[in-house]
Amino acid sequence: ENKNCRSSDKSVVSICFATECASYNGNHPIRYCLQCHNNRHNHRRGEDHIVHTCLKKAWDMDPEMQNYLVEAIVNLLKEARSTTPEIPKDMTDIQTKAALLNALTPNTTNLSVEERQLMGRFGVWLLVGLCAPNENTPPEVLGRLLSMLFHWFHVTAYSFDDQAECTLEKLKTDYVCGWLNEICKSHFTILVSCLLPHPADYARVGGHWDMLVSRTSHLKNGLNRIFCLVPYEVITTEIWDYVMPHWLEAVAKDVPEKELPELKMLLSKILDPDMSPLGFDAKKMYHFVSIRFKQTTPKVQEQALNWLQVLTSLEIIIPLHLLFTFFEDGINSLKENDIQPSNGEEEKEECPRKSSISPVVEDDSAQTSGLSDDEAQTSRQNLCQHSDAELKLSCCVLMLDIVLKQMERHEVERHTGIHTVVAQDICRLLRSMLCAPWLISHLCTGSGKTECMHCELAIVWHQ
């Protein structure tokens, strides 16, 4: 609004309310570009003027102002929700009645869905415009913002009307996805940590983290967040391979058997080999499983087999050709564990190099709190210690059990002879197992009163 402005970039950077500057604009506050602002407000004059300027980048602010900005963004993104109250399935009767009573109580401050969506969009603009991270960005601040953004993706996944859907989708694709891609390149560890089932406490914000719900509900809502990010290609193969072992371990470890069906539909959509929205083929989708059967320890393989068994129990179809590939690699790896080099370095060089993959440990950090009040529940995992041979035999039993159940899921026709592709794959797998030393030779060391675990597993395998 300065009539004498000679700047080529006339973008407004400040508004001055001082009488001296307002006199140039008919006694109204005047807007200045960067050049005019510097000319009118410097150490020679205008130092005492009351000026409203644009916000700095979040990381250039003082700690107090930065905290205000972060909390403002978090609360704006929280507003992007439906006015219909969410009543979790596992609420008690008293909690359900309280939630309904709160919803029916008239509140003059209730905002319309459109107004809430607008506040959420404003939060996104602030986030993308002012919070581009650098190498000095505090992980806890960035993690909190990312987690809240993922919650915003979740609650805005279901459109309220065509116009709102168009606006939100344009905002996501044109602004947010590019910002997230930059985060993935520069702060990959922080981004994936916010997508884990047991994130750090600073990332537990929004949605199910603000409610008292069971472990199963936490995991279900967390998986939903990931599912809502899939259409925007945020979940790359690298992120997928990193987070899915943690999710499957959490499902196998934390979810009671009677509650597993609650996750069936969601996992079926994500892991459908033909119709999955991930955009990966089945080989890439199960790559995080396949690498756990190549040059790995029996403990790692047993953990991966437990995941496959849970998926199979939920009637999720896994391509048979992939299963046979996994298991053949696994048997060969278990056999190589029994090879004892005898002629020094020459044979050591011939032995394949062991993988650095170790079993996934969920919620092992003392710095994070439990998922819910039922944290003390006993796990479904077997905590007994087994010998190496027993672990290998247990892996073989699990492999056959998974193959048998997956053949039923695939509706493989029975009694078709041994010349079909599936029959030949099974015969090859069985021959490989029969040649294994832990299945052939065994000497019971326990007394007659105690049962021999190795013998029991061998009986189960032969059955």
Side-chain angles (χ1 to χ4, degrees):
E1 292 178 331
N2 181 14
K3 296 178 181 178
N4 298 320
C5 178
R6 297 179 180 179
S7 174
S8 57
D9 181 9
K10 298 186 181 296
S11 301
V12 176
V13 298
S14 68
I15 302 175
C16 184
F17 296 84
T19 305
E20 180 185 348
C21 288
S23 63
Y24 301 124
N25 193 37
N27 293 321
H28 290 89
I30 185 170
R31 292 178 292 181
Y32 287 127
C33 66
L34 181 60
Q35 181 176 323
C36 293
H37 171 75
N38 292 333
N39 290 337
R40 298 287 186 181
H41 307 107
N42 49 54
H43 65 280
R44 295 193 303 272
R45 62 174 180 172
E47 284 186 324
D48 58 342
H49 287 191
I50 300 173
V51 180
H52 177 72
T53 59
C54 297
L55 288 171
K56 302 177 184 177
K57 295 294 183 182
W59 323 121
D60 297 331
M61 297 177 178
D62 60 80
E64 184 180 13
M65 187 62 186
Q66 183 186 101
N67 183 60
Y68 288 148
L69 176 64
V70 170
E71 292 307 313
I73 293 172
V74 168
N75 285 289
L76 283 169
L77 292 176
K78 279 185 179 181
E79 290 297 330
R81 56 185 170 84
S82 172
T83 54
T84 305
E86 291 185 30
I87 302 178
K89 176 179 175 292
D90 50 0
M91 268 193 176
T92 63
D93 187 51
I94 295 177
Q95 289 173 321
T96 303
K97 290 179 180 178
L100 289 172
L101 181 62
N102 184 53
L104 294 173
T105 303
N107 189 349
T108 56
T109 61
N110 271 347
L111 300 173
S112 66
V113 174
E114 291 76 14
E115 289 174 314
R116 290 187 180 278
Q117 293 296 91
L118 182 60
M119 294 174 74
R121 295 203 299 272
F122 182 54
V124 171
W125 290 328
L126 287 176
L127 176 64
V128 175
L130 300 177
C131 299
N134 54 38
E135 61 276 4
N136 298 320
T137 301
E140 60 276 8
V141 175
L142 181 58
R144 183 171 173 80
L145 291 172
L146 282 172
S147 185
M148 197 62 233
L149 180 64
F150 296 152
H151 169 68
W152 178 78
F153 267 91
H154 183 196
V155 296
T156 57
Y158 308 101
S159 60
F160 301 95
D161 56 61
D162 293 339
Q163 183 178 358
E165 180 185 15
C166 181
T167 304
L168 287 170
E169 294 306 309
K170 185 174 178 61
L171 181 63
K172 291 175 183 178
T173 54
D174 291 354
Y175 296 98
V176 184
C177 291
W179 185 80
L180 281 174
N181 289 334
E182 292 300 319
I183 299 286
C184 187
K185 294 175 184 176
S186 60
H187 295 76
F188 178 81
T189 305
I190 299 175
L191 186 142
V192 294
S193 70
C194 297
L195 295 173
L196 296 178
H198 299 89
D201 284 341
Y202 59 74
R204 300 185 178 195
V205 56
H208 57 102
W209 294 117
D210 294 340
M211 298 184 289
L212 290 174
V213 294
S214 67
R215 287 166 172 250
T216 305
S217 294
H218 276 298
L219 295 176
K220 185 177 179 180
N221 281 281
L223 280 171
N224 256 317
R225 282 191 181 186
I226 294 179
F227 186 71
C228 292
L229 292 171
V230 167
Y232 306 98
E233 299 182 357
V234 175
I235 307 299
T236 61
T237 53
E238 188 179 8
I239 293 176
W240 177 259
D241 287 344
Y242 187 97
V243 302
M244 278 312 293
H246 293 271
W247 278 102
L248 290 182
E249 179 63 12
V251 170
K253 179 181 177 183
D254 295 339
V255 181
E257 287 188 39
K258 63 179 181 180
E259 296 179 9
L260 275 175
E262 294 182 31
L263 302 173
K264 177 181 176 180
M265 182 177 294
L266 184 58
L267 288 172
S268 297
K269 288 179 180 178
I270 297 176
L271 296 172
D272 189 308
D274 299 318
M275 302 294 291
S276 174
L278 286 167
F280 312 152
D281 57 23
K283 187 175 181 180
K284 289 182 179 178
M285 189 186 300
Y286 287 100
H287 177 258
F288 70 94
V289 176
S290 68
I291 60 176
R292 282 168 168 75
F293 289 98
K294 296 177 180 178
Q295 311 303 325
T296 52
T297 63
K299 197 67 180 173
V300 173
Q301 292 195 31
E302 185 187 40
Q303 187 180 56
L305 288 166
N306 285 329
W307 303 342
L308 294 176
Q309 196 170 43
V310 169
L311 295 179
T312 301
S313 69
L314 294 176
E315 300 182 357
I316 294 173
I317 294 178
I318 305 170
L320 286 176
H321 70 279
L322 288 181
L323 281 180
F324 287 121
T325 302
F326 299 162
F327 296 164
E328 286 176 16
D329 290 339
I331 294 298
N332 292 333
S333 177
L334 294 178
K335 287 179 180 178
E336 287 162 2
N337 289 337
D338 293 325
I339 298 176
Q340 299 293 333
S342 56
N343 294 328
E345 296 182 358
E346 290 185 5
E347 291 197 16
K348 285 183 181 179
E349 291 178 359
E350 293 176 2
C351 291
R353 186 177 180 181
K354 296 301 294 178
S355 170
S356 60
I357 296 175
S358 57
V360 175
V361 179
E362 263 307 293
D363 206 18
D364 193 42
S365 173
Q367 298 179 352
T368 58
S369 55
L371 281 181
S372 62
D373 292 338
D374 60 355
E375 191 74 37
Q377 289 183 353
T378 56
S379 170
R380 291 190 290 113
Q381 298 284 75
N382 187 6
L383 300 178
C384 298
Q385 296 294 327
H386 299 296
S387 67
D388 200 47
E390 289 171 352
L391 278 175
K392 293 176 180 179
L393 192 51
S394 174
C395 288
C396 292
V397 172
L398 287 171
M399 288 177 186
L400 293 184
D401 181 60
I402 292 167
V403 167
L404 180 62
K405 290 178 180 176
Q406 281 293 329
M407 288 175 65
E408 294 175 358
R409 301 284 179 265
H410 283 268
E411 298 181 353
V412 176
E413 190 176 351
R414 298 186 179 187
H415 312 300
T416 56
I418 61 172
H419 299 294
T420 62
V421 175
V422 174
Q424 290 178 356
D425 287 336
I426 293 173
C427 290
R428 185 165 56 251
L429 181 63
L430 289 173
R431 282 198 304 269
S432 183
M433 289 182 179
L434 285 169
C435 295
W438 62 85
L439 194 61
I440 298 173
S441 59
H442 167 64
L443 179 63
C444 291
T445 56
S447 61
K449 295 181 180 179
T450 59
E451 296 177 347
C452 177
M453 180 60 68
H454 193 286
C455 291
E456 287 189 5
L457 289 171
I459 292 170
V460 172
W461 185 89
H462 283 90
Q463 287 177 340

